[in-house]
Amino acid sequence: MKDTGLKVYPAHIAGAIVFISAAGIYFLAPLAAAVLLVAYVILCIVACFFPGTNFLGPVISRGLTRERKVALTFDDGPSEQTTLKILDLLDRHKIKATFFVSGVNARRHPEIISEIVRRGHEIGNHSMGHDPLLMLKSAKTIDREVHRAAQVLREAGIETLAFRPPVGIVNPKLFPILQCRGLICVSFSLRARDFGNRRVKNLAGRILPKVTGDDIILLHDTPVSRHEDEALLWEEFEKILVGLKKGGLKVVPLSELTGRQIMRHGRQQ
């Protein structure tokens, strides 16, 4: 159910305190008042790049199980060259993952969207065009990107309940939009900085030494940028899945790890 009630986040409280304090000292120390205001603006900008702080709004970036469980998430697909192979790999290891898909790619490959769901995986909204600069744009543009991707997936019989912003950056304008559309914001706690599978060498080495229980792991199901990296990508993915098991970590669906529903089946009115 969509919630349109007013929500108060830490940024609102901090902003109120800063503005009241700045107004109170303005006539005695105008420079200090200006410094306070500038510091608040800088804090809000920095918080955009650290969504896990929840300063600007509620973001799920870790699980809540307090157990040796993790979730695997794949961004930016689906891709004909990569996603189906990932599904086969996950099947061999009896693992369920979550795919945060762009509306453009979902429209291009509806049969892969259906296959992801058929195999028991979850799908989330990753905006329509995956514009890395989306969070620098207007609220109207952000809302349109979220809504258009949701429409594409709805046409495929999926009602997405989770949104992951492109490149993991948030914006104060994002949270009222998600609240209005009944979506939760999901980030991640561990990534390999693979730059969309442009940097696949030692992928497992950048994940396995750092992984802990309740991590939400970010990977990508986009094609490699260099043909010679194709075989390496699958070796690294295999190492990650085997390494998680050897480390005593169980991969579970994102919905189980977070206690929040990620999607519903069937067209919703």
Side-chain angles (χ1 to χ4, degrees), residues 214-258:
D214 278 326
D215 267 332
I216 298 174
I217 301 171
L218 167 64
L219 298 169
H220 291 87
D221 59 330
T222 47
V224 294
S225 58
R226 302 187 307 169
H227 178 72
E228 55 267 33
D229 287 339
E230 179 77 21
L232 181 59
L233 177 67
W234 302 111
E235 290 176 12
E236 292 297 321
F237 278 168
E238 181 75 24
K239 286 179 183 178
I240 289 172
L241 300 187
V242 171
L244 290 172
K245 185 175 181 180
K246 285 184 177 179
L249 290 157
K250 181 180 180 182
V251 180
V252 300
L254 183 60
S255 55
E256 179 179 335
L257 193 78
T258 62

Side-chain angles (χ1 to χ4, degrees), residues 38-216:
V38 170
Y40 175 71
V41 171
I42 293 173
L43 179 61
C44 289
I45 292 172
V46 171
C48 293
F49 298 91
F50 297 93
T53 62
N54 290 305
F55 183 72
L56 299 174
V59 179
I60 297 173
S61 56
R62 293 191 62 83
L64 300 171
T65 68
R66 297 185 180 180
E67 299 177 19
R68 298 282 290 169
K69 296 179 179 180
V70 299
L72 282 180
T73 64
F74 292 88
D75 281 11
D76 302 356
S79 160
E80 189 174 18
Q81 300 98 311
T82 308
T83 306
L84 292 175
K85 291 182 180 180
I86 289 175
L87 293 177
D88 290 341
L89 179 63
L90 295 173
D91 280 351
R92 288 200 300 273
H93 287 271
K94 296 183 170 62
I95 286 173
K96 303 303 179 187
T98 300
F99 293 80
F100 284 93
V101 303
S102 74
V104 168
N105 286 332
R107 177 171 287 166
R108 187 177 293 130
H109 301 293
E111 74 288 353
I112 301 180
I113 294 294
S114 297
E115 188 65 12
I116 291 171
V117 175
R118 188 188 72 80
R119 298 203 198 188
H121 304 284
E122 298 171 335
I123 290 179
N125 184 327
H126 200 36
S127 80
M128 187 65 189
H130 192 267
D131 181 355
L133 302 179
L134 178 60
M135 291 301 140
L136 298 178
K137 298 186 177 179
S138 67
K140 183 178 180 180
T141 299
I142 295 171
D143 183 56
R144 183 172 63 246
E145 281 286 303
V146 173
H147 180 56
R148 288 178 63 201
Q151 283 183 313
V152 171
L153 292 169
R154 194 174 292 118
E155 290 167 4
I158 300 163
E159 186 75 11
T160 51
L161 304 173
F163 175 78
R164 175 176 282 172
V167 300
I169 298 173
V170 296
N171 182 299
K173 295 175 284 190
L174 173 66
F175 298 99
I177 292 169
L178 297 184
Q179 180 188 341
C180 181
R181 297 207 173 273
L183 295 167
I184 58 174
C185 187
V186 178
S187 184
F188 47 84
S189 57
L190 182 60
R191 61 178 172 177
R193 299 189 182 277
D194 54 12
F195 301 104
N197 287 337
R198 294 181 182 87
R199 182 173 171 247
V200 300
K201 185 177 180 181
N202 197 34
L203 199 63
R206 296 194 297 272
I207 291 287
L208 295 175
K210 301 176 183 177
V211 66
T212 60
D214 278 326
D215 267 332
I216 298 174

